[in-house]
Amino acid sequence: MRQLFSTCLILLASISLVACVQTIPKEALQLTKESFKLRQLQTRSFDTSSEKKLLIAGAGVLQDLGYNIDESETKLGVIVGSKNRDATEAGQVAAMILVAALGGGNMPIDKHQKIRASLITHPAGKKTTKLRVTFQRIVWNTQNQVSKTQSIEDPQIYQEFFDKLSKAVFLEANEI
Amino acid sequence: MKKYALLPVVFANIALTGCQTTSMNQVMETSESQVAIRQIQTRAFDTTSSTKTLRTIIATLQDLGFVIDKADDELGTVSGTKLNGYSLRMTVTVRPRGKKQTLVRANATYNVTPVEDPQPYQQFFTALQKAMFLTAHEVD
């Protein structure tokens, strides 16, 4: 009897601690070695003194990639864009079919996602302007619950973005 | 034995007081005292350039893994969101203080909870002062 009570107490005490309280992780606003690696990955410098031209080229690339521009502030070198896309993955669909076949019911799988990008320019010296782009995404599943919230840190994605941007800046410079 | 029987009820009560009765109260909700929060969220920098300060704030937010949501040079505000299994939203505002200083105020929301712990703000201002090459002064 006594044991039952104490179990009950511990259970309720832990519930009372969890109830309605969420705390921010300690490293959320901490700079790490990783932060500087990411900065390198996400930044390129361009041989132009015109932030505006670089921003225009950047907005063009975002549009080429299907992003809509949500916000911009030329005086601070800021462009923000986003796009909503399908998030279905073949692996998850296969798993869902398998689970259903084994009688596990309807397993939620990723359905759609919102991808956001912010593109920031800043002058670096007289003839150079730096541009840093960052991507993140939110994924919803078939039950409309958020299943993933993440920063995109894949080097290949950034490389691809800057390849496109370099071309756009080149075309801009040559006014083709 | 009867003494123990009451304890679960007490704990259940505590568990429920952690929750709110009317969610509409959240519209004007603050928990820490206004003054204490402002102090935790504010620092003064010895500069008069608000645009430069804003640009440095944007760069710092990017360093910390944020994607910028909005920025307004004239109003002196920047907002950004960090997604990393959670959603951390931050708004940072800048305004002149006297003739030689600029006040920077940051406030953060972790998922649906306001951040009132001084430590994350201290970390943010530590990162910002490194990028500003200026010391962040506490403000009374």
Side-chain angles (χ1 to χ4, degrees):
Chain A
M1 197 60 178
R2 212 174 194 173
Q3 218 176 355
L4 186 77
F5 269 123
S6 46
T7 320
C8 223
L9 281 183
I10 293 168
L11 202 79
L12 279 168
S14 45
I15 291 171
S16 72
L17 288 178
V18 182
C20 304
V21 181
Q22 284 181 311
T23 47
I24 177 171
K26 278 212 168 76
E27 69 289 349
L29 291 172
Q30 181 95 53
L31 284 181
T32 58
K33 275 183 190 161
E34 196 66 20
S35 328
F36 296 101
K37 270 189 207 156
L38 280 174
R39 185 199 282 176
Q40 278 185 327
L41 191 72
Q42 296 166 339
T43 314
R44 292 289 184 280
S45 75
F46 294 84
D47 296 330
T48 174
S49 56
S50 168
E51 259 194 290
K52 199 174 152 191
K53 274 188 182 162
L54 193 55
L55 278 172
I56 291 168
V61 173
L62 284 178
Q63 279 188 299
D64 288 344
L65 294 166
Y67 287 81
N68 295 107
I69 307 301
D70 298 327
E71 282 287 332
S72 60
E73 174 60 292
T74 320
K75 282 182 197 161
L76 296 172
V78 174
I79 292 179
V80 183
S82 66
K83 62 177 174 183
N84 296 312
R85 287 293 184 271
D86 183 56
T88 320
E89 286 178 6
Q92 288 191 354
V93 175
M96 179 189 69
I97 293 168
L98 191 67
V99 168
L102 292 171
N106 193 5
M107 189 181 87
I109 57 164
D110 290 347
K111 192 182 172 209
H112 62 104
Q113 60 180 330
K114 187 186 184 84
I115 306 171
R116 301 184 61 239
S118 68
L119 191 153
I120 317 292
T121 55
H122 58 101
K126 271 185 187 164
K127 285 183 180 165
T128 321
T129 308
K130 281 189 174 176
L131 186 144
R132 181 172 186 176
V133 68
T134 44
F135 294 96
Q136 63 183 196
R137 66 175 188 150
I138 307 175
V139 182
W140 287 268
N141 65 21
T142 40
Q143 293 181 356
N144 250 337
Q145 294 160 325
V146 172
S147 63
K148 284 192 196 97
T149 55
Q150 60 186 196
S151 302
I152 291 166
E153 295 172 358
D154 181 359
Q156 214 186 326
I157 287 176
Y158 290 97
Q159 189 54 51
E160 217 173 299
F161 178 84
F162 286 117
D163 287 346
K164 285 186 198 299
L165 182 60
S166 301
K167 271 183 207 152
V169 171
F170 178 77
L171 292 178
E172 198 84 27
N174 290 282
E175 290 183 12
I176 294 172
Chain B
M1 213 44 167
K2 267 195 174 166
K3 227 172 22 181
Y4 286 110
L6 272 177
L7 273 174
V9 180
V10 172
F11 271 107
N13 264 330
I14 294 171
L16 289 175
T17 48
C19 298
Q20 57 201 350
T21 47
T22 329
S23 58
M24 208 195 283
N25 287 350
Q26 293 283 354
V27 178
M28 299 300 279
E29 175 74 12
T30 57
S31 62
E32 293 266 331
S33 94
Q34 202 67 60
V35 181
I37 288 190
R38 197 175 295 176
Q39 201 170 1
I40 289 168
Q41 297 178 338
T42 312
R43 294 291 185 280
F45 289 91
D46 296 329
T47 176
T48 50
S49 169
S50 83
T51 302
K52 208 180 131 205
T53 310
L54 282 169
R55 280 178 178 269
T56 316
I57 290 164
I58 292 171
T60 305
L61 285 173
Q62 283 196 308
D63 276 345
L64 292 168
F66 284 77
V67 165
I68 305 304
D69 303 328
K70 277 171 190 297
D72 191 315
D73 184 46
E74 232 160 293
L75 285 179
T77 65
V78 177
S79 294
T81 304
K82 178 173 181 171
L83 299 178
N84 189 13
Y86 53 79
S87 152
L88 180 63
R89 185 133 206 269
M90 240 176 140
T91 296
V92 188
T93 56
V94 163
R95 64 190 168 92
R97 183 198 201 214
K99 280 184 181 161
K100 286 179 181 167
Q101 282 190 317
T102 302
L103 274 186
V104 177
R105 178 170 182 176
N107 60 316
T109 308
Y110 175 71
N111 293 332
V112 293
T113 319
V115 177
E116 284 165 355
D117 177 12
Q119 201 208 0
Y121 293 106
Q122 185 53 51
Q123 287 172 335
F124 171 74
F125 287 116
T126 304
L128 180 60
Q129 72 176 359
K130 252 186 225 166
M132 295 272 292
F133 299 112
L134 288 170
T135 313
H137 302 292
E138 296 221 14
V139 181
D140 301 323

